[in-house]
Amino acid sequence: MSEMLNNAIWEALSTHQQYLNAGNDRLKYFPKEVSPLFALPNWDASDYDVLENELPADRSFFVLIAREIAIPDTMHVQLTLPLYQMVASKKVASQHAHHAITRKLTNEDVPQMLELTAKTKPGPFGNRTIEFGNYYGIFDGARLISMAGQRLQTTDFTEVSAICTDPAHLGKGYAAALTQKVCSCIYEAGKTPFLHVKQDNIGAIKLYEKLGFEIRADIYFAIFKKKDA
């Protein structure tokens, strides 16, 4: 069943999140304000004609796939990075930060969410990324200092994403508490949590392992854009 996560973006935009597909049945991607994630069904020569002919030229796209792929020369590759994909098939309790103010985030919180993600860089976050749902935050007074939410959703899996904490508040257990909160929402919906993490982020990997995540696959990550004509 977890094989669908090998090309999770394609799977999400073909199933649970197909209503957010701004592409077509041969290439799929989210609206620019939601996410730069993009997918092809096979990522081989059979897909390259539609990639070259139908990919919008006014934005960069992100790809996540469980094998290394060749991006055609008609594209400019801006960055590649090795990631791990981790899956939490078992529930493990974490230590909650009971003293913190924690609540579900709304559209009114988007300016602070954009500010926090710009500072901590957990991954792309736009004006409409909150539409992925179930974002929770911890506050210091009225100021958002830590958050986590969900992103890709397939029939059986939901991705935990945008896990980040203001550098001035690290080491207080906020990321663990919020990650478990988001995972609880995913379990309650009858799905299994998964996430992506940089392979050199040892601290985060150890945290996720304590929360019940296990490394499932190496993930090829790239940011690319169509070259100017």
Side-chain angles (χ1 to χ4, degrees):
M1 184 183 298
S2 64
E3 294 302 308
M4 66 179 62
L5 295 180
N6 289 341
N7 194 358
I9 303 170
W10 181 267
E11 185 69 24
L13 285 168
S14 299
T15 57
H16 189 86
Q17 292 171 318
Q18 58 184 320
Y19 70 98
L20 283 171
N21 180 26
N24 54 46
D25 61 352
R26 295 189 63 196
L27 77 173
K28 300 181 188 290
Y29 54 90
F30 293 95
K32 187 175 184 178
E33 300 80 6
V34 176
S35 174
L37 296 180
F38 170 91
L40 293 169
N42 304 303
W43 279 103
D44 59 23
S46 66
D47 293 327
Y48 291 165
D49 62 328
V50 68
L51 178 64
E52 296 167 10
N53 295 327
E54 300 185 34
L55 186 75
D58 62 343
R59 54 183 289 200
S60 295
F61 291 92
F62 291 19
V63 57
L64 296 161
I65 191 165
R67 61 183 175 85
E68 190 165 348
I69 58 173
I71 297 178
D73 292 340
T74 51
M75 305 292 139
H76 170 57
V77 179
Q78 299 166 305
L79 175 71
T80 62
L81 199 66
L83 305 180
Y84 286 131
Q85 184 183 83
M86 304 183 73
V87 176
S89 55
K90 58 182 180 181
K91 303 177 186 180
V92 176
S94 67
Q95 182 65 43
H96 282 276
H98 292 289
H99 62 283
I101 301 171
T102 306
R103 65 169 172 81
K104 191 168 186 177
L105 301 176
T106 70
N107 287 330
E108 293 181 357
D109 299 304
V110 168
Q112 287 207 68
M113 297 169 78
L114 291 169
E115 181 180 350
L116 181 59
T117 53
K119 179 185 292 187
T120 58
K121 303 187 184 308
F125 199 93
N127 292 326
R128 292 177 53 200
T129 304
I130 195 172
E131 292 180 19
F132 284 133
N134 285 336
Y135 282 89
Y136 289 86
I138 290 175
F139 290 78
D140 180 12
R143 183 166 169 262
L144 179 67
I145 58 173
S146 187
M147 65 178 247
Q150 63 187 44
R151 187 168 63 177
L152 296 174
Q153 288 197 61
T154 72
T155 304
D156 299 299
F157 296 88
T158 297
E159 182 187 20
V160 185
S161 185
I163 305 167
C164 56
T165 301
D166 187 300
H169 294 272
L170 293 174
K172 299 178 181 180
Y174 295 160
L178 289 170
T179 300
Q180 190 197 25
K181 176 62 178 177
V182 176
C183 286
S184 294
C185 293
I186 295 170
Y187 289 129
E188 289 170 7
K191 298 189 178 186
T192 300
F194 74 104
L195 55 78
H196 295 98
V197 61
K198 295 179 183 177
Q199 291 189 5
D200 62 358
N201 194 345
I202 305 302
I205 293 169
K206 289 182 177 178
L207 168 64
Y208 300 146
E209 288 176 338
K210 288 181 180 179
L211 297 177
F213 285 87
E214 297 177 345
I215 294 174
R216 177 191 169 271
D218 292 335
I219 295 294
Y220 176 83
F221 167 75
I223 303 174
F224 69 97
K225 184 178 182 181
K226 183 179 287 187
K227 290 181 179 178
D228 295 333

